[in-house]
Amino acid sequence: MLHAADLRREFRPMMRLAAPLALAELGWMAMGVVDTIMAGPLGAAAVGAGSLGAMMFFPIAICGTGLLLGMDTLVAQSFGRGDLRDCRRTLVNGVWLGAALSPLLVLVLWATIPLLRAVGTNPRALAIFEPYLKALTIGVLPLLLYTAFRRYLQAVNLVKPITFALVSANLINIAGDWALMYGHCGAPALGVPGSGFSTSISRTYMAAVLLGAILWHERKSGNLLFAISWWPDSTRLRRLVTLGLPAAGQILFEGAVFGIVTAMAARLDEASLAAHGIAVNVISTTFMVPLGISSAAAVRVGQACGRKDPHAAATAGWTALLLSATFMSAAGLVLWLLPQMIVRIYIRDAAVVTMGGLLLRIAAVFELFDGLQVTATGALRGLGDTRTPMLAHLIGYWLIGLPTAYVLCFPLGWGAPGIWVGLSAALILIGASLALVWRRAISRMLF
């Protein structure tokens, strides 16, 4: 049975791991925030097109990175039992897997262009969307390599390079946006597509920084990475895919829903599309903190499982859930009290501010549950369970959230707020159910 003293003891090591990872996730999200703000002076169509591009890119590319999330389980459990060579073997095979996935993801991303044209997307937004998305695809391979390097580093408790890479990459992205979107320093004024090129450059930089961190660590730890085979291991690749496929499916189910509802919003007026894009950007930003905590939970729970210490695994998971619940409750309160002020950071258009404020108030209702679902997902991944979160997201989003959003948006005429009520219903269900699944899973281990 857990006591308050157990949670207090776990708090410090959890925060040592979670804080840099949460900061790194915020740094990741800051790129999207900066891109959206930089597009603001170009008008609502530009903001909407950038948001549409991000919503199409995210579920597909991040689905690919989801296939690498099995590294959390394998590397953390190997590290927990002290098998450092095995950690490196998983790293090598994670890199092979990422390299094999990248051309497939690029082809799928290109296929979204005629799809959006066929469903009647706003033509002004679509004209900007196409070159923007193509610019983003340049960064797909660096993104997958960065993901493999990151999963390895955080699972062996090396998180500072991850934070440094994300924070410094934001400076590169800001400079790139300024030069490539508006034509400064002799660069062409590419508008929103310039933001896509800047993002791809930043992702290449992040992968290079983490590779450097790994090589530097190897010099200090006996160069074990250079004492193992670098050829792909079919058995380990199958294990990575077995763990990663449900995680990728979960990300796909969740990300595809946000892509679909953004396409739904694209059938509305430009102000609604821009407000929807800004609201997604805001809640994605708050989501980055529990996402970082979720990664820490996967590592701490996985390491405890590797040591065959179920009590420590339970303590780590519950501590992470408590941290996420506290932060997201506070975030929800801010969204409820200051919605229009937040939207004005992005754009001054009165129609967008009014609609965006309403959407953020709806989002405030599900913030707590969004934090619970992502953190419980990480804790379950540490146990080796990636299938249950996938099923929860499939049922919650596709059987409940998406149909509700469509009916409220179009047949009942609620517009964008109807979309967000549907999302709220899905997230409340998913968050509550995954917290209960975690409770039952850890109870079986302890008793």
Side-chain angles (χ1 to χ4, degrees), residues 15-35:
M15 283 298 295
R16 250 196 322 265
L17 191 59
L21 291 177
L23 184 59
E25 299 291 2
L26 286 169
W28 175 268
M29 193 59 216
M31 288 189 185
V33 174
V34 168
D35 290 347

Side-chain angles (χ1 to χ4, degrees), residues 189-212:
L190 301 175
V192 173
S195 171
F197 286 113
S198 178
T199 298
S200 292
I201 292 168
S202 301
R203 286 171 178 164
T204 303
Y205 162 80
M206 292 189 299
V209 169
L210 293 197
L211 176 60

Side-chain angles (χ1 to χ4, degrees), residues 238-419:
R238 281 196 300 271
R239 179 64 174 148
L240 280 173
V241 171
T242 299
L243 286 168
L245 196 58
Q250 173 217 316
I251 294 171
L252 179 61
F253 294 146
E254 182 174 15
V257 163
F258 276 89
I260 289 171
V261 298
T262 300
M264 289 165 56
R267 295 175 59 185
L268 304 172
D269 58 281
E270 291 177 3
S272 292
L273 175 58
H276 170 82
I278 290 169
V280 169
N281 203 277
V282 171
I283 66 161
S284 297
T285 302
T286 62
F287 179 77
M288 291 301 109
V289 173
L291 182 60
I293 296 171
S294 173
S295 293
V299 170
R300 294 289 296 169
V301 171
Q303 290 175 350
C305 288
R307 297 192 305 270
K308 301 188 183 303
D309 187 348
H311 186 82
T315 303
W318 284 118
T319 302
L321 283 165
L322 180 61
L323 287 171
S324 283
T326 301
F327 174 82
M328 291 298 267
S329 296
L333 184 61
V334 172
L335 295 186
W336 182 264
L337 295 175
L338 305 171
Q340 293 192 359
M341 183 181 297
I342 295 169
V343 178
R344 286 193 188 97
I345 296 173
Y346 293 83
I347 196 169
R348 295 287 178 174
D349 185 289
V352 177
V353 170
T354 300
M355 179 60 72
L358 176 57
L359 300 185
L360 289 183
R361 281 208 160 175
I362 297 171
V365 176
F366 65 66
E367 283 288 275
L368 169 62
F369 296 92
D370 204 10
L372 290 178
Q373 66 89 8
V374 69
T375 307
T377 295
L380 289 167
R381 189 165 69 247
L383 297 179
D385 180 6
T386 53
R387 184 171 176 270
T388 303
M390 177 194 70
L391 293 175
H393 284 77
L394 172 62
I395 295 169
Y397 277 121
W398 288 83
L399 298 186
I400 296 173
L402 188 57
T404 302
Y406 180 84
V407 170
L408 293 177
C409 179
F410 294 114
L412 296 183
W414 288 23
I419 293 173

Side-chain angles (χ1 to χ4, degrees), residues 164-186:
F164 172 79
L166 264 300
V167 172
S168 55
N170 271 277
L171 301 178
I172 293 174
N173 188 55
I174 291 170
D177 280 353
W178 180 74
L180 294 173
M181 291 179 75
Y182 294 99
H184 296 294
C185 299

Side-chain angles (χ1 to χ4, degrees), residues 427-442:
L427 281 166
I428 290 171
L429 173 66
I430 296 168
S433 62
L434 286 180
L436 288 173
V437 168
W438 163 255
R439 181 176 180 273
R440 290 176 182 173
I442 209 66

